Amino acid sequence: MQQIRSQVTERDGLFELEAGSDVLDSPRYNHDMAPTKVRERTWNKWHITALWVGMSICVPTYTLGGVLTAYFGLSVGEALLAILFANLIVLIPLTLNAFPGTKYGIPFPVLLRSSFGILGSNVPCLIRALVACGWFGIQTMFGGLAIHLFLGSVFEGWKSLGGTGEVLGFMAFWALNLWVVIRGAESIKWLETLSAPLLVAVGVGLLVWAMPNVSMTELLAIPAKRPEGASVVSYFAAGLTAMVGFWATLSLNIPDFSRYAESQKAQIVGQIMGLPLTMFLFAALGVVMTAASVKLVGVTVSDPVTLIGHIQSPVWVALAMALIIIATLSTNTAANIVSPTNDFQNIAPKVINRTKAVMLTGFVGLLLMGHELLKKLGLIVSDVSLETVYSNWLLGYSSLLGPIAGIMVVDYFLIKKQQLDLAGLYRDDVYPAWNWNGFIAFGVPVVLTLLSLGSDAFSWFYSYGWFTGSALGGLIYYGLCALRAQPSAVKSAV
């Protein structure tokens, strides 16, 4: 006989929900969004390290050094330091926001119900989902190019397809990504675990190939592309903010993964070991490879897929492209599909299950890349490049998510004091439908950031967007909650 009221139990600091009819019949609940059972939390520190290695080693990371030197006026050394510092900084919200996921086994959208409301959580979720779908489309474009070059190295006739072959590669890689995520979290865990050592091997191989053709002394001595005599501080801060923005999205939805961690120690240690050094080293590799590309292939090439495509040996091209396909797949599935899949389910859990949400993510990503695909098919002509979208819109848009990170940390640690009503997060009678404190705390920094774009006096507010947004969002949220004396909504059951 089904129990009526849900029960919450604790095992070594991890909470588990035995759902009763009050939760099972709720429109806010489905099996995929349910808290993970303690027995399902099997990811140890090495799995989480592998997750970050798999997500960090990708084409966009490879190009970060070039983005900072070309668009942000930094020297090579300054760019690499900005990448390292940014990833050390972003570890703070990553580890803090991972705590409730590990403790309660809940995904990101369910956690947001505490700070934005049961229904209100859909607004920041959909904002986050749009960024992920954009990244999904871009990574799929790189993966599709790798498939095109792989097939071109194996079948001579494939090369003649040109842009059409790239589009076919895109669609094949698009379908492969969706298939992996539909299979579930265990599929992603093993993909990341198996791909991590292969990705490290790719990096080492590229470095061995490039080093004889580049002088590190000369590379580090290249002057920065900024006005002579200009202070490095403002340029460095802008680049640092952009690099924090690179993982700003994951700092929000990290509960989507930490809900599978076996302990808080596992998620903390795994993230520390997996993220900062991997990002720094692979970005540094990109700088070295781009500098060496002139001697290696005769032209400056800033992405590894195109660079390897210049190699004359079909065997080495095929092998390298196969590894890059694995690298891009491991990044794309974890970083760019899992979150919107959960976010879209949160809209109507009884109607949208995981399979439907994965397909919705795929079609939104396809739509966002429609312009680029039509260009490759020769159906339209446009000067808008994929690099422009990547370096401007996505990084800038990500920085606007800072307030959500600040609100989440303040809500869980200071307002709720790490105590949530687990069953109440799946019902309509504990937390408000719309938590206006969260929306005000989110809206004020975003409006100020947008207004600062047209003001020289307040341009620093945009330049430091992620930092100013997260700090101001957290402070406003705490102040509003203190003024309104909002109850913590904690039941004695937990």
Side-chain angles (χ1 to χ4, degrees), residues 113-316:
R113 294 172 181 178
S114 172
S115 51
F116 284 86
I118 299 295
L119 296 178
S121 61
N122 286 300
V123 175
C125 278
L126 291 178
I127 293 172
R128 166 66 184 95
L130 181 61
V131 180
C133 290
W135 282 116
F136 166 63
I138 285 177
Q139 291 276 17
T140 303
M141 195 67 72
F142 286 127
L145 176 59
I147 288 179
H148 169 65
L149 293 174
F150 172 81
L151 293 174
S153 66
V154 177
F155 306 106
E156 188 64 32
W158 187 273
K159 294 180 181 179
S160 63
L161 292 176
T164 302
E166 292 184 39
V167 173
L168 292 174
F170 176 96
M171 296 308 302
F173 192 68
W174 179 87
L176 180 60
N177 278 265
L178 302 188
W179 178 77
V180 169
V181 180
I182 287 173
R183 288 176 59 85
E186 282 297 300
S187 176
I188 294 173
K189 181 179 82 171
W190 289 113
L191 172 65
E192 302 296 336
T193 302
L194 293 172
S195 65
L198 292 175
L199 304 183
V200 173
V202 171
V204 172
L206 287 172
L207 189 62
V208 170
W209 181 41
M211 283 309 292
N213 297 280
V214 66
S215 167
M216 290 303 297
T217 303
E218 293 178 5
L219 185 60
L220 293 173
I222 297 174
K225 296 178 181 178
R226 57 175 178 264
E228 189 175 348
S231 171
V232 69
V233 176
S234 60
Y235 288 88
F236 187 85
L240 185 69
T241 301
M243 292 305 99
V244 170
F246 190 83
W247 288 124
T249 50
L250 262 294
S251 72
L252 302 183
N253 75 284
I254 189 64
D256 289 334
F257 301 102
S258 66
R259 65 194 292 231
Y260 298 103
E262 64 181 14
S263 66
Q264 297 291 4
K265 181 180 179 181
Q267 67 93 355
I268 294 170
V269 174
Q271 294 198 85
I272 291 174
M273 291 195 304
L275 175 61
L277 194 58
T278 305
M279 285 290 293
F280 174 79
L281 292 177
F282 202 67
L285 174 66
V287 171
V288 171
M289 292 298 298
T290 301
S293 62
V294 176
K295 290 185 179 179
L296 290 170
V297 299
V299 292
T300 299
V301 181
S302 60
D303 80 81
V305 181
T306 305
L307 179 62
I308 295 171
H310 281 83
I311 299 175
Q312 297 302 312
S313 169
V315 175
W316 282 110

Side-chain angles (χ1 to χ4, degrees), residues 198-450:
L198 292 175
L199 304 183
V200 173
V202 171
V204 172
L206 287 172
L207 189 62
V208 170
W209 181 41
M211 283 309 292
N213 297 280
V214 66
S215 167
M216 290 303 297
T217 303
E218 293 178 5
L219 185 60
L220 293 173
I222 297 174
K225 296 178 181 178
R226 57 175 178 264
E228 189 175 348
S231 171
V232 69
V233 176
S234 60
Y235 288 88
F236 187 85
L240 185 69
T241 301
M243 292 305 99
V244 170
F246 190 83
W247 288 124
T249 50
L250 262 294
S251 72
L252 302 183
N253 75 284
I254 189 64
D256 289 334
F257 301 102
S258 66
R259 65 194 292 231
Y260 298 103
E262 64 181 14
S263 66
Q264 297 291 4
K265 181 180 179 181
Q267 67 93 355
I268 294 170
V269 174
Q271 294 198 85
I272 291 174
M273 291 195 304
L275 175 61
L277 194 58
T278 305
M279 285 290 293
F280 174 79
L281 292 177
F282 202 67
L285 174 66
V287 171
V288 171
M289 292 298 298
T290 301
S293 62
V294 176
K295 290 185 179 179
L296 290 170
V297 299
V299 292
T300 299
V301 181
S302 60
D303 80 81
V305 181
T306 305
L307 179 62
I308 295 171
H310 281 83
I311 299 175
Q312 297 302 312
S313 169
V315 175
W316 282 110
V317 170
L319 178 61
M321 287 303 149
L323 293 174
I324 285 179
I325 290 167
I326 294 172
T328 310
L329 180 66
S330 66
T331 300
N332 220 12
T333 51
N336 302 321
I337 305 181
V338 170
S339 175
T341 293
N342 289 334
D343 296 338
F344 289 137
Q345 286 186 82
N346 193 59
I347 299 172
K350 294 296 187 189
V351 178
I352 305 174
N353 60 18
R354 183 174 64 212
T355 300
K356 291 179 181 178
V358 170
M359 295 307 298
L360 183 57
T361 298
F363 283 115
V364 174
L366 182 63
L367 182 64
L368 291 174
M369 288 296 107
H371 177 270
E372 192 69 18
L373 293 172
L374 291 174
K375 278 176 58 180
K376 290 184 180 299
L377 290 172
L379 298 177
I380 61 173
V381 178
S382 172
D383 293 331
V384 178
S385 68
L386 191 62
E387 186 181 48
T388 301
V389 175
Y390 160 58
S391 61
N392 294 328
W393 179 69
L394 281 174
L395 289 178
Y397 188 68
S398 297
S399 71
L400 295 179
L401 301 179
I404 301 176
I407 291 166
M408 289 173 66
V409 170
V410 168
D411 180 71
Y412 183 69
F413 287 95
L414 300 182
I415 304 301
K416 307 297 167 50
K417 302 187 186 304
Q418 301 185 62
Q419 300 296 316
L420 299 173
D421 185 325
L422 187 53
L425 290 169
Y426 293 90
R427 304 199 309 259
D428 292 328
D429 59 347
V430 176
Y431 295 91
W434 299 85
N435 185 350
W436 295 110
N437 291 349
F439 282 97
I440 294 170
F442 172 64
V444 171
V446 168
V447 170
L448 290 176
T449 300
L450 294 175

